[in-house]
């Protein structure tokens, strides 16, 4: 989850008590957000290598955890959703290790762009959809939504 999300929530919901880790994330990153990371990106933290496979889908658990309705919907609307990695190379990492971009195979495939396409039920551009379907590491449930739009 991008670090700036905490300030965003605190600003929008000042009565909410929130601290790092409350949103179910395993990693909190600074200087990374949905506009500057792409599906397929490979990052290294410590000796661990990880690849981005999809955005998160904020759900009711966030509202439940924070004891405040509407936080998950707010994050979805803002496009501050975070993302999932798959582990490419196991290893060790520790607090304050730097995060390095090792590879970017799909520079067009920002999480912001995918989130916009995914949530726009009228999006039907077959050429654009085919580009996304060609990303081998994009998680299957996202591909299914896009495939249905080609029909």
């Amino acid at each position: 989850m991008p670090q700036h999300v905490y300030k965003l929530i605190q600003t929008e919901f000042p009565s909410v008590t929130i601290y790092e880790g409350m949103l179910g994330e395993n990693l909190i990153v600074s200087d990374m957000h949905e506009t500057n990371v792409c599906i397929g990106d490979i990052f290294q933290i410590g000796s661990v290598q990880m690849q981005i496979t999809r955005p998160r889908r904020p759900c009711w658990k966030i509202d439940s955890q924070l004891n405040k309705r509407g936080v998950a919907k707010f994050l979805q609307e803002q496009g501050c959703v975070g993302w999932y990695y798959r582990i490419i190379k196991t290893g060790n990492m520790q607090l304050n290790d730097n995060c390095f971009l090792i590879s970017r195979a799909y520079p067009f495939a920002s999480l912001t762009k995918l989130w916009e396409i995914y949530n726009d039920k009228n999006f039907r551009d077959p050429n654009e959809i085919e580009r996304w379907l060609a990303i081998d590491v994009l998680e299957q449930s996202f591909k299914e939504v896009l495939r249905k739009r080609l029909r």
Side-chain angles (χ1 to χ4, degrees):
M1 184 63 79
Q3 191 173 34
H4 74 92
V5 168
Y6 293 94
K7 181 172 242 164
L8 202 73
I9 291 170
Q10 197 65 66
T11 300
E12 185 69 18
F13 302 93
S15 65
V16 167
T17 300
I18 187 166
Y19 52 86
E20 293 178 345
M22 285 187 78
L23 302 177
E25 68 280 20
N26 293 317
L27 292 172
I28 300 166
V29 292
S30 58
D31 302 325
M32 293 170 66
H33 43 79
E34 292 81 1
T35 60
N36 69 3
V37 298
C38 299
I39 299 295
D41 283 359
I42 298 175
F43 289 93
Q44 182 161 332
I45 302 175
S47 58
V48 177
Q49 290 184 2
M50 308 169 295
Q51 186 173 42
I52 295 178
T53 60
R54 71 174 179 94
R56 288 177 57 175
R57 293 181 190 102
C59 68
W60 63 270
K61 291 178 186 176
I62 291 174
D63 290 357
S64 177
Q65 178 69 13
L66 299 177
N67 199 27
K68 181 72 173 174
R69 292 185 68 180
V71 178
K73 184 175 189 259
F74 170 75
L75 292 176
Q76 288 177 13
E77 290 169 351
Q78 297 299 307
C80 297
V81 295
W83 51 87
Y84 284 100
Y85 293 104
R86 73 180 182 128
I87 302 300
I88 302 267
K89 178 184 166 205
T90 61
N92 296 302
M93 67 172 80
Q94 57 188 357
L95 185 64
N96 297 321
D97 276 351
N98 288 319
C99 182
F100 300 99
L101 176 64
I102 298 203
S103 167
R104 174 165 285 161
Y106 308 100
F108 71 90
S110 76
L111 292 176
T112 296
K113 184 67 177 169
L114 177 57
W115 195 246
E116 289 170 3
I117 290 170
Y118 179 79
N119 288 296
D120 180 356
K121 294 177 182 12
N122 295 316
F123 187 86
R124 302 268 189 266
D125 180 335
N127 294 325
E128 184 69 11
I129 290 173
E130 288 295 342
R131 281 182 12 150
W132 287 91
L133 293 176
I135 301 175
D136 59 337
V137 299
L138 177 59
E139 198 260 342
Q140 288 303 313
S141 68
F142 280 84
K143 286 185 173 186
E144 276 306 307
V145 167
L146 295 176
R147 273 191 199 99
K148 287 179 184 176
R149 295 190 184 158
L150 288 178
R151 297 181 195 138

